[in-house]
Amino acid sequence: MIYAVGLAAESTFAHFTAEAEERGVPVRVVDLRQAVEAGDWRLVVGGDRSASLGGRDLDPEASYYCRVADLAALQQDRESAQRWRWLTTALAAWLDHIPGLVVNRPSIRSDNGSKPLHERSLSQAGFRVPASITSSSPQRLQAFAAAGPTLVKAVSGVRATSRLVSAADLDGFEPGQGPVHLQRYVAGRDVRAHVVGDRVHAEEIVSGSVDYRTDRDAEFAPCELPGPLAGQVVRHTADLGMAFAGWDFKVAGDGTYWCLEVNPMPAYDWYDRRLGGAISASLLGLLQGVHP
């Protein structure tokens, strides 16, 4: 049995459940919002690891596709916020300890939430990562920006649009406004690769924008990663304890693949639609224990 745990109205989650239905794969949907509003759950860590959530019994031996989101900060009253925090905290602990396949376990390497740490760990794993700096020093930031084309990015894992920045843009910057994360800009094609078990689904993106996600005229096409790199992303995804991940690369004019990040909970539906559902097919096969 496959369980899908997340927000029923969220686009990636809804896409996954729709793909499963279209392919005739039984999936039990557990809507976190409904569970929080009902205030009815029981999650046992240790022992028999029994659980019920939103009126459904959960099988600890089953497979789980998870997009667990804590919406406590968006609640208008303290009681609702507490219910969100309590449920997601307890659920994360339960998913981390059950014997079934969880894609992906909540405790999976969280350094994606810190850009400096994430980039360093990717570099140490053997990937080529653009030079970067995180600082509150106006002098250091301006010196980095003056040395070549530079992007400013969010320091945390919160999704934000990247943009080019110059040394002049940092005039008047005060240390109290920092820290700021700058990264050397790599001109070239973007490649997004989704790793599902030992399979890689990659797309090449050609765009005139710094961040192709803002470009409605961006051109997408299926592609393949170079063999050694494909093997490297599959191995490193597994090394991180993940069964599913989204990798972002920039391909420079000389053919060098520069690694930007690996996302442990990729919003993959946008890419999957262009690939005819190939990512979903691999994901469902993984959760069923078979190759699609």
Side-chain angles (χ1 to χ4, degrees):
M1 173 56 65
I2 298 173
Y3 291 83
V5 182
L7 301 172
E10 192 259 327
S11 62
T12 302
F13 189 85
H15 175 79
F16 171 80
T17 56
E19 284 288 315
E21 182 177 3
E22 184 174 330
R23 298 170 188 277
V25 179
V27 171
R28 292 185 180 177
V29 176
V30 179
D31 184 3
L32 291 178
R33 188 183 301 277
Q34 185 180 66
V36 168
E37 290 176 354
D40 177 21
W41 63 79
R42 179 178 179 274
L43 299 155
V44 177
V45 177
D48 62 2
R49 298 183 177 88
S50 60
S52 62
L53 185 65
R56 289 184 178 275
D57 289 333
L58 305 183
D59 180 2
E61 303 282 345
S63 295
Y64 287 80
Y65 172 65
C66 301
R67 289 185 63 81
V68 177
D70 180 0
L71 302 187
L74 302 180
Q75 305 310 303
Q76 299 298 314
D77 61 277
R78 184 169 178 269
E79 183 180 350
S80 295
Q82 285 181 326
R83 286 204 301 270
W84 272 103
R85 185 62 45 81
W86 290 337
L87 173 58
T88 53
T89 299
L91 179 60
W94 188 80
L95 290 168
D96 274 340
H97 288 87
I98 62 173
L101 173 63
V102 180
V103 180
N104 288 309
R105 295 189 190 273
S107 64
I108 289 304
R109 287 279 296 275
S110 60
D111 63 21
N112 180 269
S114 168
K115 282 291 189 292
L117 177 59
H118 188 57
E119 291 169 9
R120 181 171 177 79
S121 67
L122 288 171
S123 180
Q124 290 179 328
F127 294 93
R128 299 199 68 171
V129 179
S132 65
I133 183 175
T134 304
S135 179
S136 294
S137 165
Q139 294 78 20
R140 293 186 65 195
L141 292 170
Q142 286 187 311
F144 184 89
T150 301
L151 290 173
V152 60
K153 292 187 169 184
V155 177
S156 69
V158 176
R159 182 172 177 172
T161 301
S162 300
R163 65 180 181 86
L164 289 170
V165 65
S166 68
D169 292 326
L170 296 163
D171 287 343
F173 175 81
E174 297 291 338
Q177 297 173 272
V180 171
H181 185 68
L182 302 181
Q183 185 182 68
R184 189 67 66 224
Y185 173 63
V186 177
R189 297 173 286 124
D190 288 273
V191 169
R192 171 70 170 217
H194 289 90
V195 173
V196 186
D198 61 358
R199 298 182 178 229
V200 180
H201 301 278
E203 290 176 78
E204 176 185 275
I205 306 103
V206 177
S207 170
S209 298
V210 171
D211 190 330
Y212 71 83
R213 295 171 301 179
T214 67
D215 183 4
R216 293 185 177 182
D217 296 322
E219 298 178 2
F220 294 78
C223 69
E224 292 187 6
L225 297 183
L229 180 59
Q232 187 180 12
V233 297
V234 168
R235 288 191 300 274
H236 194 60
T237 298
D239 288 346
L240 293 174
M242 294 188 286
F244 181 39
W247 289 80
D248 290 311
F249 295 93
K250 267 287 193 178
V251 187
D254 63 0
T256 300
Y257 277 70
W258 293 89
C259 186
L260 303 182
E261 76 166 323
V262 53
N263 190 326
M265 193 170 71
Y268 77 97
D269 50 308
W270 193 38
Y271 307 91
D272 194 42
R273 291 188 180 93
R274 283 185 295 272
L275 294 177
I279 303 171
S280 289
S282 290
L283 186 53
L284 288 164
L286 177 73
L287 290 162
Q288 290 176 293
V290 299
H291 287 291

